[in-house]
Amino acid sequence: MIDVTDLHKSFKTRERGEVRAVAGLSFHVRAGEVYGLLGPNGAGKTTTLRILATLALPDRGTVRVDGRDPVADPIGARERLAWVPAEGGLPPRLSGREVVRLFARIQGVADPDRVADETLDRMGATPFADRPCGDLSTGMKRRVVLARALVHRPAALLLDEPTDGLDVMGRRDVLGLVRSLAADGRAVILSSHVMGEVERVVDRAGIVAGGQLVAEGTVAELLARTGTATLDDAFMALVAPP
Amino acid sequence: MRRSASALAGLTYAHALSLLREALVRRSLGWPVALVIGTLLAVVAVTTVRRGNPTVLVLDGAPAWVEPTLHDAGFATVRGSDPVGPVQREVVLASTDGHQLNLGRGGPDAGRLEIALRRHHGSTWLPDVEGSLPDLRTTEIGGRRICRLLGGLYALYGAVFGLGALARDRDEGTLDAELTLPIGSWMPAFARWLAASLLLGLSWAVAVGMIDALLGVRDAGAMVRDGIGATAAAAALGVAAVGRAGLKASFSGPFTAVAAGIAGIVAFGTTWPGWGRHLPIASMVLGGDGWSPMFVGWALGPLAAVLFAWRGGRT
């Protein structure tokens, strides 16, 4: 469903010169699978997701989303994916219902208002759907953002740090929603730098550091490989060996 | 094509709605109109209060012809014996016995009163109290000057709207969310430009219309077109310059570039007025029929959106 092969991406910065954000990253995510793209800040997770989301261009390598090339055919790829940025990206003065209905219309959904309302309901966002997004709590915003992302029933879902800023209850809610989205047959990539909270949700995880894949497998495989008890410890063993 | 048109309409509507719900924008757009309405009301209030009392006190013992003559001239009359007190207290405009006139102050009403009495007596001369209403040509020039100043502010708003909307939405992630929609990468920028230009253009037209109603604006239609072109062009400059800047990072560079661009257009236009009359923003200073600057200003929007997509859409 989602293929990333030998992906490279560098940025030029004034302070640090050329920075290699992604350096030869490859992984594959199947339909119905939640794939955790895990790594510390600056590991290249967001850059990889932005390339998949058609927001950035790779220097080298290939990416495919449901068979579409986000570089050569961005419109085709955008029809099949949904991007949930870490910032949320909700206009503060529009209501959640207005936003989701607008996205449904632009995505070409048949009967967009009804589908938008149903999606908001499925995400548990109906009680606050008519309030301006700027007045919502972080957890409420996440639900609206997920509704916006899912309104056109995308085949692939790209979630960048979806639990950032959420309290314990909010985190549990959002991760539960993520699990149910994969159960519908979607390929879900979830990036996070908090290992512990995603280990119950992901089917497989790729540990990324310095723009490269350090290890990949199910949580059990990663724990067995490192001889550790938690994903946090496994990560430390892989990325920062003693 | 149909999907693109529908997406553009939807995004433009959403951004216009978003702008209108922003208190600061509402105030920014509303104050010129409020200022004009306030001025109009103040003028009405002041002229009502300062108009004075056109009632004349006819002294006891005055001939019978006095009151009908004054009524014919449009004055109300009261009877009394004190020729000075009521005039000093401004209870009445003047007092008269038909021969002598006691006035508290001058003005057109006092002049008309004197004329009415002199006419009755067959005077060989009459005072000239037609008054001199300001020459319309003079006030129209004043109105145009005010519009030019206001137009400069509107152009600045246009630049801030064009730059700020994209930079802020980039910081908030709203822009990225729209850029992952199955539409051209130019469209989110174009929709923001269109929403800002429509709102500013409409507000500008209302403001000029009201100044025209109050003072007169020489060739008000051309002034409206000039301003619509100027705001659209300034917003387009903002969209073209913003690149990958956000409000929190790298904003000062594009803002300086836009300010320099606006100054450059005005300088170019005033140096070569033949060209300048066709350039948006510069035409506000130079005058002209306003058609070509308006079309140029609105043509810059799509170009700016394409430039934005090229510079800042995908990196």
Side-chain angles (χ1 to χ4, degrees), chain B residues 13 28 149:
Chain B
Y13 173 74
S28 305
L149 281 174

Side-chain angles (χ1 to χ4, degrees), chain A residues 64-81:
Chain A
R64 293 284 184 278
V65 175
D66 198 18
R68 299 295 175 123
D69 181 351
V71 178
D73 179 17
I75 303 278
R78 287 168 190 167
E79 285 171 343
R80 285 158 177 78
L81 64 83

Side-chain angles (χ1 to χ4, degrees), chain B residues 31-45 210 214:
Chain B
W31 78 258
V33 175
L35 186 70
V36 173
I37 292 173
T39 307
L40 181 64
L41 292 176
V43 167
V44 170
M210 299 197 79
L214 274 176

Side-chain angles (χ1 to χ4, degrees), chain A residues 226-237:
Chain A
T226 52
T228 52
T230 66
L231 203 51
D232 258 341
D233 293 338
F235 173 78
M236 290 306 290

Side-chain angles (χ1 to χ4, degrees), chain B residues 79-90:
Chain B
R79 280 274 174 182
S81 56
D82 178 6
V84 178
V87 176
Q88 282 180 339
R89 292 195 304 274
E90 295 193 5

Side-chain angles (χ1 to χ4, degrees), chain A residues 9 50 53-57 70-71 74-75 78-79 83 85 87-95 98 102-103 106-108 148, chain B residues 3 6-7 10-11 14 17-19 21-23 168 171-174 176-185 244 313-315:
Chain A
K9 178 72 180 177
R50 287 180 67 82
T54 78
L55 291 168
L57 295 169
V71 178
I75 303 278
R78 287 168 190 167
E79 285 171 343
W83 158 249
E87 307 84 16
L90 290 172
R93 280 162 291 280
L94 296 183
S95 72
E98 286 169 333
L102 171 70
F103 271 57
I106 295 175
Q107 291 281 9
R148 181 184 68 183
Chain B
R3 185 175 177 179
S6 160
L11 280 174
L17 199 62
S18 219
L19 282 172
R21 286 178 184 169
E22 203 168 329
R168 182 193 55 194
D171 283 352
E172 290 177 351
T174 317
D176 277 352
E178 288 177 23
L179 286 169
T180 56
L181 284 166
I183 52 177
S185 300
R244 295 210 55 80
R314 298 170 85 189
T315 52

